[in-house]
């Protein structure tokens, strides 16, 4: 979670809010990534308890969502609540399986879906990346 905080807050215009200990990273009031409250659509398969450690990351589109979900490690998932919506989920405990570069990729991609295009282009140019927006 410390890496997530560092990576998200390093991006232009990202703000962090915390409600009941759950962080949300957003740009212009729209989420980039957030720690969601337990919901009945995400339960532990062994105990049936609602998952309390789910992070949601915005993705560019449905194609990117499918690509991320195809990861054979099983660290990314979705639930019926997110059907048709460009977002992927992971559990906080799974962050240890996601290296910092991959986490940065997810955070930057989520940020690119929300930030103004001129801000994204300037940041991408400064960081020698190709625009994906």
């Amino acid at each position: 979670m410390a890496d997530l905080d560092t990576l998200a807050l390093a991006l232009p215009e990202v703000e962090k809010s915390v409600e009941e200990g759950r962080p949300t990273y957003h740009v212009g009031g729209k989420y980039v990534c957030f720690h969601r409250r337990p919901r009945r659509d995400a339960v532990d398969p062994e105990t049936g308890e609602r998952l309390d450690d789910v992070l949601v990351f915005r993705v560019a589109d449905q194609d990117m969502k499918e690509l991320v979900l195809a990861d054979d490690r099983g660290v990314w998932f979705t639930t019926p609540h997110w059907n048709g919506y460009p977002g992927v989920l992971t559990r906080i405990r799974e962050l240890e399986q996601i290296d910092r570069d991959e986490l940065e990729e997810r955070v930057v991609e989520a940020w690119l879906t929300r930030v103004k295009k001129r801000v994204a282009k300037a940041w991408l140019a400064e960081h020698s990346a190709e625009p994906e927006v």
Side-chain angles (χ1 to χ4, degrees):
M1 288 298 288
D3 282 346
L4 176 59
D5 201 61
T6 300
L7 292 167
L9 293 174
L11 295 166
E13 300 187 10
V14 171
E15 296 177 349
K16 177 183 177 182
S17 60
V18 179
E19 186 176 317
E20 296 178 13
R22 297 173 188 282
T24 296
Y25 304 92
H26 45 89
V27 172
K30 296 179 180 178
Y31 90 88
V32 171
C33 173
F34 69 97
H35 179 183
R36 79 176 198 167
R37 297 175 195 271
R39 293 182 45 93
R40 70 182 124 201
D41 67 319
V43 297
D44 186 300
E46 294 175 15
T47 66
E49 295 287 322
R50 291 181 184 184
L51 300 178
D52 190 36
D53 66 339
V54 175
L55 293 172
V56 179
F57 289 81
R58 175 92 175 175
V59 293
D61 54 32
Q62 288 298 120
D63 290 338
M64 180 56 71
K65 179 177 182 172
E66 294 305 318
L67 182 66
V68 173
L69 293 174
D71 183 318
D72 60 3
R73 295 171 299 169
V75 297
W76 302 102
F77 67 99
T78 190
T79 66
H81 177 77
W82 294 94
N83 285 349
Y85 191 81
V88 293
L89 309 149
T90 193
R91 295 186 68 183
I92 291 171
R93 72 179 194 185
E94 299 295 344
L95 289 177
E96 65 189 34
Q97 291 189 56
I98 301 168
D99 68 31
R100 187 178 168 95
D101 289 341
E102 181 182 359
L103 182 60
E104 181 176 27
E105 183 180 333
R106 291 280 71 77
V107 172
V108 169
E109 179 185 358
W111 173 76
L112 287 169
T113 70
R114 299 301 200 184
V115 74
K116 295 174 188 139
K117 290 187 188 251
R118 66 175 170 71
V119 175
K121 285 181 182 179
W123 186 90
L124 290 166
E126 182 179 321
H127 291 84
S128 303
E130 290 297 316
E132 295 180 16
V133 225

